[in-house]
Amino acid sequence: MKTFPMLQEVEGFLAQRQGLRIGAKHVDTKKTLHVINPSSGELLTSVACASENEIDLAVGVARQAFHSGPWGCMGPDQRSRIIWRLADLIEKNAAIFGQLDALDNGKPVAIARDVDAIYSARHFRYFAGWPDKIEGSTIPVNIPDRLNYTKVQPLGVCGLITPWNYPLLMASWKLAPALAAGNTVILKPSEETPLSVLYLADLALEAGFPEGVLNVTPGYGHEAGNALALHHDVDKVGFTGSTQTGRKIVKASIGNLKKVSLELGGKAANIIFEDAHLESAISGSFWANFSNNGQSCTAGSRLYVHSKIHEKVTEGLIKLANSLKMGAGMEDPGNDLGPVISESQMKRIFGFLERAKDEGAEVLAGGVKDERDGWFVPPTIVGNVSDEMEIARQEVFGPVLSVLSFEDDADVLKRANNSDFGLAAGLWSRDISRVRRIADSLLAGTVWVNCWGETDAASPFGGFKQSGYGREMGREAISLYSQTKSVWIA
Ligand code: NAD
């Protein structure tokens, strides 16, 4: 197997034990996070691991930077320039970010570089335009001789907790609006993928962020994550992860009633109507589920196909599944898919498949562990699935697509909406009346029509139902990280 040559900077980064980034310091800890390469199952490197004490230290530093540092009194133009410079630096170092995420997460290096890193840079660039547009208003109040106006102000210290599926990108989705709104932050990345965001913290200092504004503290969820969610001096927790952990965050937040926003799991329904353009519906629906190896909160993992075209669509999906190239993140030339994140996740996925078979489902493609080292699960298509089965109701978060059949619009809409989740949904049809009717009625924060997976820093993103609350992008993300003050002057 040929692999991309590792960049010198990446080699150097991995060779050195990385400390937490608190203020301008690299802080080492007694505890260690062992970072595993999912493409081989081998140890990649070890980094410092935050516990309650280090979280407390980081919160103190972030508080100090919020109240007394230059960040708070900086003009919006200067804040914009710093955020813009960070976007430039991410773009300039996209190859390094690409390799760090490919090694740490397993995703193909070209995707990590050209999608994750470049979209992260775009995200910072979009939010760099916000600081001088965060306006209040003058309110025409009824009391005479009073001036009433509003000011939109930052919340203070924000704890940001992120998952492993897009290590750099999910962090950027939170960091960019939180910083543009003027907060200071402590980012707690997933224990599985701490590397790219540690590197990001170094670039943030180079971009000109004052010390203590952007802190990064890798650690375990039940320790470092929980300490952040509990901390009395944290004003807000922005969380992306599973619905189960989201509940724990809400519970932990009640001590000081900190603000919480949640981007949680999904079980997206994707519907192919009989009038769809079949070729694009088949490949679009395939990638709706399998991009990022099915490890996406928006994965279209419940595919409803009209009975008239069910056989043809299923055949097309199987053909695509069997033709994909799967391999290590750093393999050259690049692959379509990498491994899943960990051995436990791989076992969890096969557990879902075993139970689905026991319930009467049929594995039509994939479903068997690949022989090579590392945590490889081939793209798996499951047929004969009914709505009640576990595999149609719970988030698998891996390369597994369930195919179901339907007869009419009202029936499929009811079934699509019969889920605890509501993050994303989609449909394929050429009938504009049907498109509008169904898109309006799907209970999901994002609906894609004749496409899937598009996001943009300017367009709001978030969940209905148990997929969370708050919207991460666009102007709504600024509201998520700020608060409005009403001022009365006699
Ligand atoms: P997870 O919930 O296990 O972990 C997410 C983060 O929470 C990690 O940093 C983890 O260390 C931390 N954490 C775990 N327990 C904690 C606790 N008790 N207190 C505080 N923090 C804790 O999720 P994951 O396995 O890393 O990611 C996969 C999940 O993320 C899926 O459910 C997926 O749908 C969801 N996700 C959602 C979105 C979205 O935008 N809605 C995006 C990506 C991923």
Side-chain angles (χ1 to χ4, degrees):
M1 176 184 68
K2 208 170 145 230
T3 58
F4 279 97
M6 204 186 282
L7 293 165
Q8 243 179 14
E9 293 89 337
V10 173
E11 230 169 291
F13 192 85
L14 296 178
Q16 204 173 354
R17 179 180 159 98
Q18 297 294 327
L20 316 175
R21 302 313 199 251
I22 301 180
K25 294 201 181 106
H26 290 199
V27 176
D28 205 356
T29 55
K30 278 197 194 120
K31 281 191 129 178
T32 292
L33 268 185
H34 299 291
V35 184
I36 305 294
N37 179 350
S39 300
S40 63
E42 287 165 3
L43 181 73
L44 191 58
T45 185
S46 297
V47 304
C49 175
S51 303
E52 200 182 330
N53 282 347
E54 289 83 19
I55 293 296
D56 196 45
L57 176 69
V59 173
V61 166
R63 174 62 60 195
Q64 171 84 7
F66 182 72
H67 282 305
S68 327
W71 189 238
C73 38
M74 205 176 261
D77 174 53
Q78 215 180 335
R79 255 195 275 141
S80 288
R81 281 168 191 266
I82 295 174
I83 299 172
W84 187 273
R85 270 204 298 267
L86 182 57
D88 285 344
L89 285 171
I90 295 173
E91 225 164 54
K92 188 172 150 211
N93 295 289
I96 297 178
F97 280 113
Q99 292 206 352
L100 287 174
D101 271 356
L103 289 161
D104 199 355
N105 166 285
K107 63 178 70 194
V109 64
I111 294 177
R113 181 193 59 215
D114 300 339
V115 180
D116 292 41
I118 295 304
Y119 273 71
S120 296
R122 272 193 210 164
H123 212 77
F124 280 101
R125 234 181 259 303
Y126 168 81
F127 281 100
W130 266 103
D132 60 2
K133 295 167 195 72
I134 304 176
E135 296 172 344
S137 45
T138 317
I139 316 288
V141 288
N142 285 307
I143 304 170
D145 301 326
R146 293 292 180 272
L147 168 65
N148 178 241
Y149 62 90
T150 60
K151 285 202 78 165
V152 181
Q153 298 185 322
L155 292 167
V157 174
C158 298
L160 310 176
I161 303 178
T162 51
W164 46 259
N165 58 342
Y166 296 89
L168 177 66
L169 189 60
M170 289 299 103
S172 304
W173 279 18
K174 297 199 175 328
L175 287 168
L179 293 166
N183 300 281
T184 59
V185 304
I186 298 128
L187 171 70
K188 206 296 287 170
S190 167
E191 52 272 40
E192 304 280 2
T193 51
L195 299 180
S196 53
V197 291
L198 285 169
Y199 184 63
L200 181 74
D202 297 342
L203 294 190
L205 287 176
E206 193 180 329
F209 279 96
E211 288 175 20
V213 172
L214 197 170
N215 307 280
V216 178
T217 54
Y220 290 102
H222 64 281
E223 290 174 355
N226 186 46
L228 205 49
L230 278 172
H231 204 289
H232 271 254
D233 208 21
V234 169
D235 299 295
K236 146 122 202 183
V237 167
F239 173 74
T240 298
S242 62
T243 295
Q244 197 187 7
T245 308
R247 287 202 183 88
K248 292 186 189 164
I249 302 271
V250 172
K251 267 194 194 156
S253 72
I254 60 173
N256 69 339
L257 290 177
K258 57 177 66 64
K259 314 278 183 288
V260 175
S261 53
L262 302 171
E263 294 286 348
L264 306 178
K267 188 75 196 174
N270 179 20
I271 309 168
I272 308 184
F273 288 97
E274 71 283 9
D275 66 332
H277 182 284
L278 262 198
E279 210 178 310
S280 43
I282 292 171
S283 85
S285 298
F286 182 84
W287 287 110
N289 185 63
F290 289 103
S291 79
N292 210 43
N293 224 351
Q295 302 173 126
S296 290
C297 47
T298 54
S301 57
R302 267 193 303 151
L303 179 62
Y304 290 96
V305 185
H306 193 277
S307 58
K308 275 193 193 154
I309 50 169
H310 186 266
E311 203 179 314
K312 206 159 178 196
V313 170
T314 309
E315 269 170 25
L317 294 168
I318 294 172
K319 206 165 150 199
L320 279 171
N322 291 333
S323 69
L324 285 201
K325 198 168 157 253
M326 191 171 60
M330 291 284 277
E331 226 167 88
D332 180 20
N335 298 300
D336 299 307
L337 297 179
V340 298
I341 188 70
S342 62
E343 186 173 20
S344 63
Q345 184 63 11
M346 182 181 73
K347 287 184 175 158
R348 186 173 166 270
I349 294 167
F350 285 123
F352 270 112
L353 289 176
E354 284 312 310
R355 292 190 295 279
K357 284 190 264 179
D358 290 347
E359 285 186 272
E362 195 184 344
V363 173
L364 305 172
V368 182
K369 159 108 179 75
D370 194 271
E371 277 313 307
R372 71 192 94 190
D373 293 338
W375 322 130
F376 289 94
V377 181
T380 300
I381 311 277
V382 185
N384 219 11
V385 177
S386 62
D387 293 319
E388 303 71 37
M389 290 182 186
E390 178 198 51
I391 204 159
R393 307 202 66 79
Q394 286 196 23
E395 189 182 39
V396 177
F397 220 61
V400 176
L401 174 62
S402 297
V403 187
L404 301 96
S405 176
F406 73 93
E407 298 294 336
D408 69 76
D409 292 26
D411 167 54
V412 75
L413 181 60
K414 200 166 146 207
R415 290 167 65 194
N417 283 339
N418 182 17
S419 169
D420 290 339
F421 298 108
L423 189 64
L427 65 138
W428 303 78
S429 166
R430 283 184 279 198
D431 174 344
I432 188 68
S433 310
R434 170 186 265 163
V435 163
R436 288 204 47 195
R437 197 176 60 248
I438 303 285
D440 278 359
S441 309
L442 282 167
L443 299 175
T446 297
V447 175
W448 285 293
V449 180
N450 298 329
C451 60
W452 197 280
E454 280 88 347
T455 58
D456 190 286
S459 176
F461 179 87
F464 282 21
K465 299 198 264 185
Q466 292 181 36
S467 289
Y469 40 78
R471 292 293 175 272
E472 283 238 290
M473 306 203 216
R475 65 175 65 240
E476 293 184 52
I478 294 292
S479 309
L480 215 56
Y481 289 97
S482 50
Q483 51 197 343
T484 303
K485 178 184 285 174
S486 173
V487 182
W488 292 82
I489 300 182

